[in-house]
Amino acid sequence: MRTGVAAIAAACIIFNLNCPAAEPIAGAYQKIATAMEKRRYDEAVADLLLLERAEPEVFAANNFDYLLGRLFERSGDLGSALGRYAAVAARRSVLSKFALLRSSTIARSNGNLFAERMYLQELRSFSGDRAVSEFAAVRLGRSTFDSGDFTRAAVLLERSRPARSGPAKDMPANGSIERENRLLLARALLYLGDETPALGELRSLVKESKDPAMPDDVAIAAIRELDRAEAEGGVERQNVPLLSDREHFQRASAYHFNREFSRARLHFEAVIRDHPASPLVPEAIYRKGQTFAQENNFSEAIRWFERLMEQHANHQFAPDALLQAAAAYSRVGKSRESVRRYQDFIARFADNARLDRAYLNIVDVMRDAGEETEALNWASRTQEAFRGKVAEAQGAFAEARVHITRNNWDGALTVLDRLSSMPDLGGASVPGGTTRQEVTFLRAFVLEQKREFEKAMETYLSIPDGRNEYYGWRATERLRILSNDGQAGPVAAARLNQFIAESNGRDVNLNRQNLQAAIRLSSDDDQRARLLESLKKVYLTVQAYKKVPAFSLKLPRSRDVVSSPSKDSRRDTGRTALSELLFLGLYDEAAPRFEASPTARSAETGDLGYTKAWLNARGDRAHRAIAFAEPIWRELPADYQIELIPSDHVQLLYPVPFSDAFVENAAARNADAHLLLSIARQESRFRPDVRSTAAARGMMQFISTTSDKIASELGRAEYDRDALYGPSTAILFASQYTANLFKLFPNQPEAVAASYNGGEDNMRRWFGRSRSDLADRYVPEIAFAQTKDYVYKVMANYRIYRLFYDESLGLRAQP
């Protein structure tokens, strides 16, 4: 090993550093750390390789081989990664268990189950952490099962138990690990012919699912195994075992929830065919029709809905079947049949809680058929029939939208004025409802079209703007358009100058309001910068706006670079895994370890809470960062100027986890990385392991019908749906899907967001009703309350991500 002045000079020459003679390695480390921070991974790899060549002892003493392994793994060079991890494990570094775990994962991904078990055995044997050892035992059982050694697998799975306090703190968390273990054990027993305990275990897994109406993945898998085992081991009829009506219905419902429609239909059909006297038959008929409707096979759905009405006209599901049949007729282009079914519903079920839907749906059917005069007629009839109720507002809103579609601005304004005085507009809780802000925005939009600019501006300005305010943002955008309009520009300039002149009074709150209004009207960058600076100063004098807390990072003291290793330094004497991971900038592995430390475990607020959130944001655990920051910002005014949100708070509120996957997949498919982030934040808060009440999986919340279609496009027809819990797969699928949606709706992120939530076929209908590609005209047409609210939230996220992050998802300089 080179020492002294010669080594110092060599290192400085190699790294082209102008460094002090005493700290050449420290300078090299800083260069590597900077490259990592800026995600210049190729540069970091090159510098690490140079350092290894120049100072191999120093390289190993600083655990740079583990960092290099991680970078090789990221780039797909798995062979080189394994070599680096082997070196880390061989010297029993404090990072050895991390290296062995990652090696076992690589081996599994390559299909080398024997190597996976070797790594896990080594991890289990040398680790002094019981939780780590138990975690390795679980993985060993699974690997043995996958290798086909079911006898050994059954023994290992029976013995293995997850740590009582949860999985090892260094290992990936999995809340269902014990249930998954039991499922594998049951499968192993079935393969060995030990059917009685296997079936008992499977039935227990189904029974123990937290909510039978929404079974988890393990319960669904257990039902599949039961179907297979009972059909093969006993009597079956038309591909399903002979079961009681309730057992068939339970399994059908589970499959239906999981959107496995063909499997669900087999069991619903078994109820209908094999148990004709069962009280479950009418619902089975109805639910079978539902499965076809959910597959967009509306012609077949109609058959089953009509059958229920013919055979069980007085059953509790008859009204639902009639409404569903009416909707299905409209989807196959039979608008008159659809209207007749809705009219039949109105006549037969006058006391039904969903009577209003029949009236309002007729309006939509007529609009889709191009019969707008008839649509207006039914909108009026709806208002008359439901005077003083929410449905009156829904009918009025439908009428207003028809007038806007026809560019009948006077008619639209009259109805919107009437809507403004109604006490309950439905909001985001009812289909076809609206909100005060939407009505106010549309009033301003109509006034703008009527060229009543001063009134339009005043109305737009009455809608507060802020980070969660979709219509506040749209109002601001319309104001900027007016500011640059040849006729409206002078009016906007006069208002702008008035706001600026009145922003230096004694009333600081009035000054704030005037400055915020002036910023919304200004389209000059320099002027906006000056106004923002003035507003920042005013915020410091207004109690509600100066509450943004400032935090300090309380990370453990970072160790110094080892520049002259002693005999024992290669073994990391006295160091901890946390200090090493922080030193190397590997926050994804450092964050859970810091969170589990005694110092930080119970800290949810203050500097320690902030530090946990900061690490989690950088360590791809974004939901924990958001959970820290959101309560703080819910206490601040909703119209807080978004450009003045401190950048460290932005990174917690709107983090960018898995940034490389978002950038790379979006770029490869011409998708929009900012929109993908916005969707992920709304869908799951970036949690990879979530499953929704609609059986949507993973961070991007894909339902099986959509993910199967995308998998086929990507050449992954045999993919495992559970792969959607992996961030890289979820982001890949979402990139492909949103790219497809942008082909349907070019340059229309609102339409893409609505399609992502409510389906592209529905968005086509809403888009068609508006007769416009202007979001301010087609977003109000979104009929699903959940989807419209979803669009508001995704687009509010989108605004922030575009403002604060560049195309490579790096943080922009603050405005």
Side-chain angles (χ1 to χ4, degrees):
M1 183 180 71
R2 290 173 294 184
T3 58
V5 175
I8 293 170
C12 285
I13 291 170
I14 289 171
F15 294 105
N16 193 27
L17 298 171
N18 184 18
C19 51
E23 293 187 280
I25 304 304
Y29 164 71
Q30 191 57 54
K31 189 177 178 186
I32 292 165
T34 299
M36 289 289 294
E37 183 72 17
K38 295 183 179 297
R39 307 205 310 267
R40 297 199 297 259
Y41 300 118
D42 290 345
E43 181 181 321
V45 168
D47 288 341
L48 283 165
L49 290 171
L50 284 172
L51 178 58
E52 181 182 33
R53 192 179 310 134
E55 297 284 359
E57 293 288 328
V58 169
F59 180 83
N62 284 289
N63 281 310
F64 284 139
D65 43 0
Y66 184 75
L67 174 59
L68 191 55
R70 287 292 310 273
L71 291 172
F72 279 137
E73 189 178 348
R74 180 199 168 277
S75 68
D77 187 354
L78 302 183
S80 295
L82 285 171
R84 303 300 168 165
Y85 294 149
V88 175
R91 67 171 182 273
R92 290 296 183 259
S93 160
V94 71
L95 297 181
S96 290
K97 58 187 172 186
F98 293 86
L100 288 169
L101 179 65
R102 301 198 76 87
S103 296
S104 70
T105 302
I106 290 173
R108 185 174 186 81
S109 70
N110 287 334
N112 191 341
L113 299 177
F114 176 78
E116 179 193 22
R117 293 194 295 279
M118 294 295 292
Y119 290 125
L120 291 170
Q121 289 282 16
E122 187 176 359
L123 176 62
R124 191 180 181 190
S125 63
F126 99 84
S127 176
D129 188 328
R130 188 180 71 176
V132 173
S133 180
E134 290 174 347
F135 182 88
V138 170
R139 290 276 295 268
L140 270 170
R142 296 180 182 189
S143 181
T144 305
F145 176 90
D146 290 338
S147 70
D149 186 351
F150 303 119
T151 301
R152 177 66 178 159
V155 173
L156 290 170
L157 291 165
E158 187 68 57
R159 289 177 180 173
S160 65
R161 291 287 184 270
R164 288 187 175 86
S165 58
K169 57 192 174 185
D170 300 326
M171 308 301 167
N174 188 334
S176 62
I177 189 170
E178 187 172 8
R179 284 173 58 75
E180 292 172 2
N181 228 33
R182 289 167 57 197
L183 176 64
L184 277 184
L185 175 59
R187 285 173 170 166
L189 293 172
L190 283 174
Y191 279 118
L192 294 171
D194 202 354
E195 189 173 277
T196 300
L199 295 180
E201 190 72 80
L202 291 170
R203 291 191 182 100
S204 294
L205 288 169
V206 175
K207 186 177 180 180
E208 293 166 10
S209 188
K210 289 182 180 179
D211 186 347
M214 294 183 289
D216 63 12
D217 290 343
V218 171
I220 292 290
I223 289 172
R224 291 194 204 102
E225 292 292 343
L226 284 169
D227 267 3
R228 188 179 301 115
E230 290 170 341
E232 291 174 355
V235 181
E236 67 171 303
R237 184 173 178 185
Q238 295 192 11
N239 299 318
V240 292
L242 290 181
L243 303 170
S244 72
D245 57 341
R246 295 199 175 277
E247 286 179 296
H248 275 305
F249 197 87
Q250 180 192 35
R251 294 187 189 181
S253 297
Y255 287 133
H256 191 182
F257 166 75
N258 205 47
R259 305 182 76 83
E260 296 184 44
F261 300 126
S262 60
R263 287 177 184 259
R265 285 195 288 268
L266 287 173
H267 283 282
F268 285 135
E269 181 59 37
V271 173
I272 299 164
R273 180 190 64 238
D274 299 338
H275 304 277
S278 170
L280 295 173
V281 166
E283 186 176 354
I285 293 171
Y286 172 73
R287 297 279 292 275
K288 187 168 182 180
Q290 270 191 318
T291 65
F292 285 116
Q294 288 173 287
E295 288 180 324
N296 293 334
N297 186 349
F298 296 108
S299 296
E300 192 64 25
I302 288 169
R303 287 184 55 236
W304 289 92
F305 295 138
E306 294 280 15
R307 177 174 170 177
L308 177 62
M309 290 184 290
E310 290 169 7
Q311 296 179 359
H312 306 278
N314 296 318
H315 191 269
Q316 66 182 37
F317 279 95
D320 300 275
L322 188 52
L323 283 177
Q324 291 274 8
Y329 276 118
S330 73
R331 299 299 291 272
V332 296
K334 296 183 178 180
S335 58
R336 290 299 167 189
E337 286 291 334
S338 175
V339 170
R340 275 195 285 273
R341 294 303 185 280
Y342 284 127
Q343 289 175 316
D344 189 16
F345 184 94
I346 292 168
R348 289 177 57 187
F349 303 109
D351 295 328
N352 190 279
R354 287 186 291 173
L355 184 66
D356 57 342
R357 294 312 315 155
Y359 279 87
L360 291 163
N361 286 349
I362 290 175
V363 177
D364 290 340
V365 171
M366 292 292 92
R367 293 189 68 193
D368 291 339
E371 299 183 30
E372 290 181 337
T373 300
E374 189 66 14
L376 285 172
N377 177 43
W378 274 96
S380 297
R381 292 176 64 175
T382 304
Q383 294 170 71
E384 293 168 5
F386 297 94
R387 193 71 66 194
K389 299 179 181 179
V390 174
E392 180 188 2
Q394 293 169 279
F397 187 49
E399 180 184 351
R401 299 198 314 273
V402 174
H403 288 313
I404 291 171
T405 298
R406 291 177 151 190
N407 296 333
N408 179 2
W409 307 121
D410 289 331
L413 190 60
T414 298
V415 180
L416 290 167
D417 285 342
R418 192 167 73 249
L419 266 172
S420 299
S421 65
M422 291 184 182
D424 189 349
L425 304 179
S429 62
V430 297
T434 186
T435 63
R436 299 276 169 212
Q437 286 196 345
E438 186 169 50
V439 170
T440 303
F441 177 85
L442 289 175
R443 283 190 73 254
F445 183 80
V446 169
L447 288 166
E448 180 185 344
Q449 307 315 307
K450 286 168 61 67
R451 316 304 282 174
E452 296 183 26
F453 298 125
E454 191 161 356
K455 287 183 180 179
M457 290 178 195
E458 182 180 350
T459 308
Y460 282 136
L461 286 167
S462 72
I463 306 172
D465 192 8
R467 69 184 185 92
N468 290 325
E469 307 299 323
Y470 173 75
Y471 273 117
W473 171 37
R474 296 311 311 153
T476 297
E477 293 298 301
R478 300 304 306 178
L479 285 166
R480 289 179 184 165
I481 289 171
L482 288 171
S483 297
N484 292 304
D485 181 86
Q487 294 182 39
V491 179
R495 293 288 282 151
L496 171 61
N497 292 332
Q498 180 184 352
F499 285 131
I500 294 173
E502 295 176 357
S503 64
N504 293 305
R506 293 185 178 182
D507 187 335
V508 292
N509 209 41
L510 184 58
N511 294 341
R512 173 192 62 79
Q513 293 173 12
N514 286 326
L515 284 169
Q516 288 182 179
I519 290 167
R520 298 178 76 178
L521 282 166
S522 176
S523 56
D524 179 85
D525 290 342
D526 291 336
Q527 184 183 52
R528 282 175 54 79
R530 291 193 298 272
L531 291 170
L532 285 167
E533 191 60 36
S534 297
L535 183 60
K536 182 189 289 187
K537 293 175 182 176
V538 170
Y539 274 3
L540 296 176
T541 67
V542 181
Q543 185 62 33
Y545 291 80
K546 67 178 183 180
K547 289 182 180 178
V548 181
F551 297 105
S552 298
L553 279 175
K554 297 296 182 182
L555 291 169
R557 182 181 179 276
S558 179
R559 74 165 176 84
D560 296 327
V561 180
V562 178
S563 57
S564 182
S566 64
K567 181 179 179 180
D568 294 329
S569 66
R570 287 171 60 98
R571 292 184 177 271
D572 312 324
T573 305
R575 297 188 227 161
T576 67
L578 176 58
S579 68
E580 290 305 293
L581 294 168
L582 290 172
F583 171 79
L584 296 173
L586 296 173
Y587 299 115
D588 58 336
E589 293 174 307
R593 191 158 187 91
F594 177 76
E595 203 166 54
S597 67
T599 304
R601 188 176 296 139
S602 60
E604 301 300 332
T605 58
D607 288 344
L608 274 176
Y610 170 76
T611 303
K612 286 203 302 188
W614 184 90
L615 271 174
N616 282 320
R618 289 168 170 250
D620 295 339
R621 291 152 57 93
H623 63 285
R624 295 177 183 265
I626 295 171
F628 172 84
E630 277 288 2
I632 294 171
W633 282 87
R634 279 197 291 268
E635 296 299 316
L636 287 155
D639 67 346
Y640 195 101
Q641 194 72 32
I642 61 174
E643 293 94 337
L644 298 183
I645 301 174
S647 61
D648 63 329
H649 284 254
V650 169
Q651 292 175 83
L652 302 185
L653 284 165
Y654 301 91
V656 185
F658 314 108
S659 55
D660 301 323
F662 277 110
V663 171
E664 291 164 9
N665 282 294
R669 286 162 180 78
N670 199 28
D672 187 333
H674 294 106
L675 186 62
L676 288 169
L677 284 166
S678 305
I679 289 171
R681 187 182 189 277
Q682 178 57 28
E683 289 284 358
S684 67
R685 290 295 192 263
F686 300 104
R687 285 191 60 180
D689 60 345
V690 294
R691 186 167 184 261
S692 78
T693 56
R697 288 173 169 82
M699 180 170 63
M700 304 304 298
Q701 288 290 276
F702 273 102
I703 58 174
S704 57
T705 46
T706 305
S707 62
D708 290 351
K709 178 183 175 183
I710 299 303
S712 178
E713 291 177 10
L714 294 170
R716 297 188 177 190
E718 300 300 320
Y719 87 109
D720 182 350
R721 289 173 181 170
D722 286 350
L724 293 167
Y725 293 121
S728 59
T729 299
I731 294 167
L732 168 65
F733 276 48
S735 299
Q736 177 74 14
Y737 185 40
T738 57
N740 292 346
L741 294 175
F742 268 115
K743 291 175 184 175
L744 295 176
F745 306 105
N747 304 312
Q748 298 297 330
E750 284 93 342
V752 169
S755 299
Y756 199 100
N757 179 266
E760 54 262 43
D761 288 341
N762 290 317
M763 187 61 237
R764 281 194 189 97
R765 289 189 296 139
W766 301 327
F767 204 84
R769 287 174 197 167
S770 74
R771 298 185 191 171
S772 174
D773 61 1
L774 182 65
D776 296 333
R777 297 184 68 151
Y778 68 71
V779 167
E781 295 287 358
I782 296 173
F784 296 169
Q786 180 194 49
T787 300
K788 187 185 282 190
D789 187 59
Y790 178 88
V791 169
Y792 294 164
K793 290 173 178 174
V794 167
M795 295 311 298
N797 294 342
Y798 186 58
R799 178 191 190 186
I800 302 290
Y801 275 112
R802 290 183 68 195
L803 178 65
F804 282 97
Y805 294 95
D806 61 24
E807 293 307 308
S808 62
L809 302 184
L811 195 69
R812 298 183 195 272
Q814 273 196 281

